Amino acid sequence: MDYKDAVNRRCSRRKYTAKEIDKTLVRKLMSSIEKYNEAAGLRIQLITNNGDAFDGFRKSYGMFSGVRNYLALVGKCRDKDRMEKEGYFGEKLVLEATAMGLSTCWVGSSYDKASCVCDIRNDETLDCAIVIGYTEEKHSLREKFMESVTHRKSKTVEQMVKCDMPMVPGWFTEGMKAVQRAPSARNLQPVLFSYQNGIVTAGVPGSAERSMIDLGIAKLHFEIGAGGGNWHWGSRAEYIR
């Protein structure tokens, strides 16, 4: 699939229709989920036709309506890279869903965890969710209002990069353009990329766990924009082109 096209098309949506996800698309998503779970040691789960975790103003704080399907991002508590992996592979599923014509939205806290019907084992935790489904083509007035409240102006590439060179390769620039389009909590874009002595790294300040989800998302976007390569896990870890 064309991940670059999906990066440019993806946008967060909060109002969903009652239309069920096509069974063919469900099978494709389940196939990807199985593959990514095996690769990362996660237990991402697709919940369909059950919006209990989002029903009512109290559970979603009025942020969402009509939610019937979501991805539950579940991982092992002892895995220190758990959240970064969830960001990376969760966003990969978001882009695949976008290519299928589905809408999505990352959800950190605007849902009721206790009402999630996913399976969580004793050594696991549910970190966040990704709403998925069909939406109307036009954004509702409520969506437009929520977007104006929750979104900030995107950072420039210069604000997200520390560099010791006057010029950088074209692939690095393309990678950063894709990072600009990466979703992050409250659009804070906390990930700082570095190009020093020809070595690319990416990291987040402090020790906030949820920022590691943003790190995983940003790393995937950079990889897509740069045309390939691989990242080591961890804050300030290196990119291998």
Side-chain angles (χ1 to χ4, degrees), residues 155-161 176 179-180 189 191-193:
K155 290 182 178 179
T156 64
V157 169
E158 289 75 17
Q159 289 174 312
M160 293 189 288
V161 173
M176 290 309 303
V179 171
Q180 282 186 296
Q189 297 176 301
V191 183
L192 179 65
F193 286 75

Side-chain angles (χ1 to χ4, degrees), residues 78-133:
R78 67 174 183 270
D79 184 356
K80 64 181 179 61
D81 298 319
R82 178 185 80 246
M83 287 194 172
E84 185 181 353
K85 292 175 182 177
E86 289 167 351
Y88 183 94
F89 288 105
E91 181 66 3
K92 206 163 189 178
L93 290 166
V94 163
L95 297 177
E96 291 176 15
T98 299
M100 296 175 188
L102 297 168
S103 295
T104 61
C105 187
W106 281 87
V107 190
S109 57
S110 303
Y111 68 108
D112 181 20
K113 281 190 176 184
S115 299
C116 288
V117 295
C118 60
D119 176 44
I120 306 174
R121 297 168 183 168
N122 290 336
D123 62 343
E124 295 176 335
T125 182
L126 168 63
D127 291 307
C128 61
I130 300 170
V131 173
I132 186 169

Side-chain angles (χ1 to χ4, degrees), residues 170-223:
W171 56 264
F172 182 85
T173 301
E174 292 303 310
M176 290 309 303
K177 287 180 181 178
V179 171
Q180 282 186 296
R181 300 193 65 85
S184 63
R186 303 192 304 280
N187 202 34
L188 291 175
Q189 297 176 301
V191 183
L192 179 65
F193 286 75
S194 172
Y195 191 92
Q196 305 279 338
N197 299 316
I199 297 174
V200 178
T201 62
V204 288
S207 58
E209 280 191 324
R210 290 200 179 277
S211 64
M212 296 302 290
I213 294 176
D214 293 336
L215 178 62
I217 294 172
K219 282 183 174 180
L220 174 67
H221 274 241
F222 181 89
E223 189 178 302

